[in-house]
Amino acid sequence: MEFPEIVDEKCEEINKAKFTLSNLKMKHFGSNGDLYKERQKLIKPIQDKVYTAIQEVAQKGSYAFVLDSASDVAVLYYNSKYDKTDLVLKKLGYL
């Protein structure tokens, strides 16, 4: 085997290894990978408790809205009597 053939063979091996590594990264760390799924499984019960507590406090205190001050626009709770979506859709001719 000549030197250029060896180089080509090694380059092909490297490219295959890069492809395999990329697939493994996606499988384990990608947007729907094992780490994401495990994190969701562990965090969901905590989030559910927090959202239930927020809803109970808001309803007991007769709050119209509960906002997440840690983010820009996240509404954690709202009283549906203030939801004007149907009025806006009707005004736009969609209802």
Side-chain angles (χ1 to χ4, degrees):
M1 205 180 252
E2 293 185 29
F3 183 73
E5 292 171 344
I6 294 172
V7 170
D8 289 344
E9 183 180 306
K10 294 300 178 185
C11 283
E12 188 174 325
E13 286 178 27
I14 290 169
N15 287 333
K16 284 181 183 177
K18 283 181 180 179
F19 182 76
T20 300
L21 177 62
S22 177
N23 285 341
L24 285 171
K25 281 182 182 179
M26 285 303 293
K27 180 182 180 212
H28 296 294
F29 305 109
S31 61
N32 203 19
D34 295 338
L35 179 63
Y36 173 80
K37 289 175 186 173
E38 188 66 21
R39 187 177 286 157
Q40 288 302 106
K41 185 173 79 176
L42 295 171
I43 291 175
K44 182 155 179 29
I46 297 167
Q47 286 176 327
D48 290 346
K49 282 183 180 181
V50 169
Y51 288 128
T52 298
I54 289 169
Q55 187 172 14
E56 289 173 4
V57 168
Q59 289 172 348
K60 188 172 183 177
S62 298
Y63 301 141
F65 299 92
V66 175
L67 305 175
D68 181 358
S69 64
S71 67
D72 292 334
V73 188
V75 176
L76 299 175
Y77 169 84
Y78 76 96
N79 186 325
S80 60
K81 77 178 185 179
Y82 297 106
D83 186 352
K84 304 302 178 199
T85 303
D86 288 344
L87 290 174
V88 172
L89 290 174
K90 188 175 183 179
K91 180 77 172 171
L92 292 170
Y94 292 110
L95 289 182

